Amino acid sequence: MSEITVRALTEDEWETYRQVRLAALEESPDAFVATHAEESDEPEDFWRERMTRSQRLLAEVDGDAVGVVSLGAAPESGSDEVGQLFGLWVDPEWRGRSVAASLVREAAKEATGRGLTHVFYWVGTDNARAVAFASSFGFRPSDKRRPMRVQGDSEEEIAMVLPLGEDRG
């Protein structure tokens, strides 16, 4: 198997992010708040601005994009020392082959490098697979809940929390 590499995208790589984001919205429409139709016609300025709001990490195999995750602020935490992972997506052909794991590992390294103490990852309370995946990395359920932000879904999300750094408590 070819090696999975993960790298941070720069603002100038907005087109790469746009391509992967639109592929994710098209392939997994129920997994995201936005839709392919809403974002596909957005201009360059929209994508460039989006690149400045959060760190976008791209997983590649032999130069081909196979997954993406974003690392951003977690305003609901009330702390500048807490971030959140969101927008995790892996190309269906690469699922089950450690792409998501590679993305989350790199995002945790990035967060630690920024001095963050914890990272949130919101998952549907009924999504046992996502909860198990997050738990395998050391994410633990918190008491934070919110309505699922995906359109038309009445499910609830839970914040899974990963402690970073030396103190894993």
Side-chain angles (χ1 to χ4, degrees), residues 97-118:
R97 296 165 77 178
S98 299
V99 174
S102 297
L103 285 163
V104 171
R105 250 190 314 277
E106 189 60 33
K109 285 182 196 173
E110 289 275 336
T112 300
R114 292 181 186 184
L116 300 180
T117 61
H118 295 79

Side-chain angles (χ1 to χ4, degrees), residues 33-80:
V33 175
T35 66
H36 184 276
E38 291 169 341
E39 293 192 2
S40 61
D41 291 330
E42 291 290 353
E44 179 178 335
D45 289 348
F46 169 87
W47 294 99
R48 283 188 176 277
E49 192 276 326
R50 183 173 265 188
M51 296 298 287
T52 65
R53 289 193 321 228
S54 300
Q55 181 65 65
R56 313 302 173 161
L57 301 173
L58 182 72
E60 297 174 303
V61 175
D62 297 330
D64 294 326
V66 296
V68 67
V69 72
S70 296
L71 173 64
E76 65 276 353
S77 73
S79 172
D80 290 341

